Amino acid sequence: TGVLTISKSGNTAETLMQALTLIQTWPTFQPAIQMRIITENKKNAMRDVAVTYGIPCIDHPDDVGGRFSVFTVVGLLPAMIKGIDVAAFCDGAREAFQNAIDATPETCQALAGALIQAAHKHQGISTTVLFAYSNQLSKFCEWFAQLWAESLGKKDPSGATHGTTPVKAIGAIDQHSQLQLYLGGPRDKFFTFLTTNAHHPLAPITIPETLTHPAVTALNNRSMGDLMIAEQNATLDTMRRHGCPLRHITIEKIDAANLGSLMMYFMLETLAAARFWNVDPFDQPAVEEGKILAIQYLNAN
């Protein structure tokens, strides 16, 4: 078993606690052999742990924040260990980046996406919902929520506050748990739907002739993928009919290249939104304040 411990600053309390707990409580664990640490190349607590236990370190880039670091060793090394095609992942990101660079202001999709978000915020939209119709995109949605919230939820130089609250939704799970609010609740949300028609192929089921209920017979000779596509289309059409502000992004299939493109696109959109709102997308002062206070509370007791 190998353990990869990642902390940009090297002083994040949760990561330190997890690493030290593992070292202290796993009797046969050999940190110098079984562990690697990714952290900035400067004096910090994680470097002290590495020196104490002889753990090799890999440098975290100093100029890339955690939520933007997926295309650095932070994201690529775990992906390589997992067997993901990181070359295709980076190629997808590079293509999305180049498309944005080559576009005009009128044709740049990331710029248009940021402008849409900013315009809706001006009209009272305070929540952005990322509604993905694939369980494979669940972690992607979590990453987006951090990227959007931590990059944009700030004050500009004049003291005005900006940002919208990101919400993760996964179909068809959350069409049952959240859709009622979206359709019947306050109209303060903007929706981004991520869909694919390349759901995992499963054999169609055959309904016994003894089952005659319409809700059952509709499933005859259909697969779970067929049902998922029908439900995502039904949800989209329903929300359009209710006048909910939304956009629909569809990807051919969920693979390394498309995921790289998707992540790069949302990074660029986030950076463009930061420019519209005149905030620094790369810091997180409120988060740092909480980290400092947590350590002070521990030291005081």
Side-chain angles (χ1 to χ4, degrees), residues 60-80:
H60 190 300
D62 295 340
D63 57 349
V64 182
R67 59 189 178 275
F68 291 97
S69 63
V70 65
F71 298 109
T72 73
V73 64
V74 173
L76 299 183
L77 180 55
M80 291 175 70

Side-chain angles (χ1 to χ4, degrees), residues 202-207 215-230:
L202 292 173
I205 62 170
T206 302
I207 301 298
V216 176
T217 57
L219 305 176
N220 194 36
N221 293 321
R222 299 291 187 178
S223 69
M224 186 63 74
D226 294 331
L227 178 59
M228 183 65 72
I229 291 171

Side-chain angles (χ1 to χ4, degrees), residues 286-297:
V287 176
E288 296 304 323
E289 180 182 351
K291 289 180 180 179
I292 293 170
L293 282 174
I295 294 299
Q296 289 177 357
Y297 290 147

Side-chain angles (χ1 to χ4, degrees), residues 206-213 216-217:
T206 302
I207 301 298
E209 293 182 1
T210 54
L211 296 174
T212 59
H213 192 284
V216 176
T217 57

Side-chain angles (χ1 to χ4, degrees), residues 122-179:
H122 187 68
Q123 297 172 5
I125 299 295
S126 59
T127 302
T128 183
V129 180
L130 187 59
F131 211 135
Y133 265 84
S134 172
N135 288 342
Q136 289 178 281
L137 293 173
S138 178
K139 290 297 182 182
F140 168 80
C141 291
E142 292 179 10
W143 168 81
F144 165 76
Q146 179 187 2
L147 176 73
W148 190 260
E150 205 167 57
S151 300
L152 301 175
K154 297 166 186 172
K155 294 179 180 179
D156 66 21
S158 72
T161 57
H162 297 282
T164 55
T165 302
V167 173
K168 161 195 164 185
I170 299 295
I173 298 169
D174 290 321
Q175 75 184 37
H176 296 289
S177 65
Q178 299 178 22
L179 190 58

